Amino acid sequence: MTNGTAVEVNDLHFTYPDGTSVLKGINLNIKTGETVAIVGPNGAGKSTFLLHLNGVLLGKSGEVKIFGMAINKKTLKEIRQKVGIVFKNPDDQLFCPTVYEDVAFGPQNMNLNEKEIDDRVHAALNALDIESIKNKSAHHLSFGQRKRVAIATVLAMKSKVLVFDEPSSNLDPLTKRKLIKTINSLDATKLIVTQDLYMAAELCDRVVIINNGVVVKDAATDDVLSDEALLEENNLEFISRCRVCSGKSGTENSFSKKQCRR
Ligand code: ADP
């Protein structure tokens, strides 16, 4: 553990094989235990950036360090135990015949004994409140349930850094509310890519705006969400007041859970 820094990204560049240059010098530091929103317009490079956090993609130049360990081919296995990514589409994450097996898959690849694997699976299923569907196939579940199973697969790895790509997309309001509660309860360093600034306001201490492959703003949630011009420049929606309490008990211009008085 180095100086409390969980994620360190220095001058990261990435170009897809077809020549699309997407990351053009990303710099970012995330402290251990922080919850940070990554926002920005479509096509800005957010998902591409996330895929660098556990080495699904490796940058053309620059570096990413997790708890001080640089990500490269040699460290990939260790890094993937530290960083879990919950993909936008749970179907990219779930491929086993049952929910139990999906959740057990990661721990089974960590040379753990049967009991430890079983304990981890049950702890993850309980945390996500999906113990009752453990014998079902993910194909027979609702989208919201599949999202929860996808999160459980990462929780069972006991990842210290959790990365969520658009966790609230395609969820009905009640399922979204439950998911926000769940994410809030997880004890980890969290990065959340989202277009949903209400969710960012509820969950995140800091908001980082990525546009055109670089970080254009990195500041406290309230500072970012109250800057109407900045949000407009980056195709983001200005939200007029606190949604933690719907403006009922917070100050009219408070956006973050810290300022909310509820
Ligand atoms: P965001 O998550 O901010 O919407 P993405 O990281 O998904 O942005 O995409 C950034 C850019 O990279 C877009 O122009 C997209 O078309 C391009 N892109 C994404 N995946 C690939 C790929 N596999 N090959 C080539 N270009 C890609």
Side-chain angles (χ1 to χ4, degrees), residues 16 18 20 22 41-48:
Y16 280 106
D18 70 354
T20 312
V22 179
N42 288 333
K46 303 178 300 294
S47 297
T48 303

